[in-house]
Amino acid sequence: MSRLRLLGVVALLTCASSAFATSFVYTTDMTVRATGSTSDATSGISNSFKDDKIVLEARDDAASFVASQGEIRGAHLEAAFKHIRGKLPTLAADDLQLAKAILTI
């Protein structure tokens, strides 16, 4: 009977480690894809608005916004968000991604 239990435990551990490895792969893939799409979005924004006065004036506000994880929202940053979204209506970036893109300019 103990041999049967031992085989059962081995089978359960094998299944559990397999599930963990699979979830790790999925999580890693999702993280890489999200980082890639964020990078694509921010590089497109930073290249498009590198000479834009409204966006350049928002850099200090963007730094505060990123450092506070979105808690501090300055007037210049809000104006830049509105300006960017007005020029690029199909842009699928959230406020934090836009703020990070402004910082790269």
Side-chain angles (χ1 to χ4, degrees):
M1 198 65 162
S2 67
R3 189 174 276 215
L4 182 60
R5 284 187 184 190
L6 182 61
L7 287 174
V9 169
V10 169
L12 283 174
L13 287 175
T14 303
C15 290
S17 64
S18 169
F20 175 75
T22 301
S23 67
F24 178 74
V25 168
Y26 286 137
T27 304
T28 305
D29 287 348
M30 289 187 322
T31 303
V32 168
R33 285 188 202 121
T35 303
S37 66
T38 300
S39 175
D40 292 344
T42 57
S43 66
I45 293 166
S46 60
N47 289 336
S48 299
F49 294 99
K50 65 181 177 181
D51 294 326
D52 194 306
K53 184 177 179 180
I54 295 171
V55 176
L56 291 175
E57 287 177 349
R59 292 191 71 205
D60 288 339
D61 286 353
S64 298
F65 183 81
V66 171
S68 69
Q69 295 296 314
E71 294 293 319
I72 301 172
R73 301 176 76 93
H76 289 288
L77 184 62
E78 292 295 332
F81 286 163
K82 185 176 179 181
H83 180 68
I84 291 169
R85 290 195 170 107
K87 295 240 182 197
L88 302 171
T90 60
L91 182 66
D94 64 13
D95 289 350
L96 190 57
Q97 290 171 331
L98 285 179
K100 287 178 181 178
I102 291 169
L103 289 175
T104 63
I105 296 174

